[in-house]
Amino acid sequence: MSSLISTPNSVRFSGEAGQGNILMGIIFAKALVKEGFWVVQSQHYGAQVRGGLSYCDVLFDQEPIDYPEAKNFDILYLMHNVGLNHIGNLKRNGILFYDEKFVENIPQYVERITKKIIKVPASQIAIEELSNKNVANMIGLGVLCSVTQIISLESLIEEVKSNVSKNYIEIDEKAIKIGYDLCKKRYPLESTKMYKKLGKGYE
């Protein structure tokens, strides 16, 4: 086994049931497989169909993953205040993304954990530019993948086409593209940078 790898990278998509954060994680995980990573994806649903906490965890590595669970995360995407407690599971110097419409009052202690905090106007853009609040998840996914440089836009779009209803393919593709171009910050994960230097993954 390669000595370059220690533990898998870990990402949590957290939000209110019905916001589409589970679909974010599924598309993200399948696109990672396409990029050549080993991937584990899991889901948690609250008792309510809508309104309760739900989250999707994705672990990925360039080697097979021995233990398919994480307690702390390199990346956390918050879609709603209901998931604020998950901030306590963000690794030091991890990356926090949050939807500014539904996540308020980010606790001040977060800045002691990380300075990599990105406010994403995903829901606002979904409503104002695409007239559909349901595509905020795809805008957010585009932002996350662009900022971290983990997954190429082409792989994301391919997985969107394979995993959403035909009625949503066109608008979801637009949303992914908007998100991918939305933020100029770049916080690439060190392990994925190394992976690409070895000639794997996209450039």
Side-chain angles (χ1 to χ4, degrees):
M1 182 177 292
S2 171
S3 61
L4 297 175
I5 300 302
S6 53
T7 57
N9 290 288
S10 50
V11 184
R12 172 165 285 180
F13 299 91
S14 176
E16 189 178 53
Q19 282 189 300
N21 55 304
I22 301 296
L23 180 60
M24 287 174 77
I26 290 171
I27 291 174
F28 181 71
K30 290 185 175 182
L32 283 166
V33 172
K34 190 172 296 294
E35 298 286 352
F37 290 98
W38 294 82
V39 180
V40 173
Q41 181 259 328
S42 60
Q43 306 166 21
H44 173 87
Y45 300 90
Q48 300 146 291
V49 176
R50 287 185 180 272
L53 174 67
S54 70
Y55 55 89
C56 181
D57 295 346
V58 179
L59 280 62
F60 63 99
D61 205 337
Q62 66 191 62
E63 301 286 349
I65 298 171
D66 293 328
Y67 187 68
E69 187 176 349
K71 293 183 178 180
N72 298 300
F73 297 87
D74 300 289
I75 301 170
L76 175 62
Y77 193 105
L78 291 180
M79 296 188 73
H80 196 278
N81 270 338
V82 71
L84 273 177
N85 286 342
H86 288 160
I87 289 176
N89 300 105
L90 183 66
K91 291 181 181 179
R92 186 164 296 278
N93 297 320
I95 310 170
L96 173 64
F97 298 86
Y98 69 96
D99 190 310
E100 65 177 347
K101 183 174 178 64
F102 293 108
V103 180
E104 303 170 351
N105 303 318
I106 293 289
Q108 291 185 346
Y109 73 82
V110 173
E111 292 191 359
R112 297 198 297 269
I113 299 173
T114 184
K115 302 297 184 184
K116 300 173 183 177
I117 302 171
I118 297 180
K119 180 168 62 174
V120 184
S123 292
Q124 179 183 344
I125 292 172
I127 294 168
E128 293 180 359
E129 295 189 22
L130 298 174
S131 302
N132 190 328
K133 66 179 182 179
N134 293 327
V135 298
N137 59 342
M138 294 296 104
I139 293 172
L141 184 58
V143 171
L144 184 151
C145 292
S146 175
V147 169
T148 59
Q149 296 287 282
I150 297 172
I151 298 172
S152 68
L153 177 59
E154 292 74 19
S155 290
L156 274 182
I157 290 174
E158 191 171 340
E159 290 308 317
V160 165
K161 291 177 178 178
S162 299
N163 289 279
V164 304
S165 164
K166 290 182 179 179
N167 294 334
Y168 270 88
I169 287 177
E170 183 177 354
I171 193 169
D172 278 352
E173 182 175 342
K174 287 180 181 178
I176 285 283
K177 289 178 177 177
I178 288 172
Y180 214 87
D181 291 335
L182 189 61
C183 184
K184 301 306 179 185
K185 290 184 179 179
R186 294 292 180 265
Y187 295 131
L189 298 180
E190 289 302 316
S191 57
T192 57
K193 284 167 64 179
M194 188 173 296
Y195 186 62
K196 290 160 189 173
K197 284 181 180 178
L198 293 173
K200 303 174 182 180
Y202 87 97
E203 294 295 341

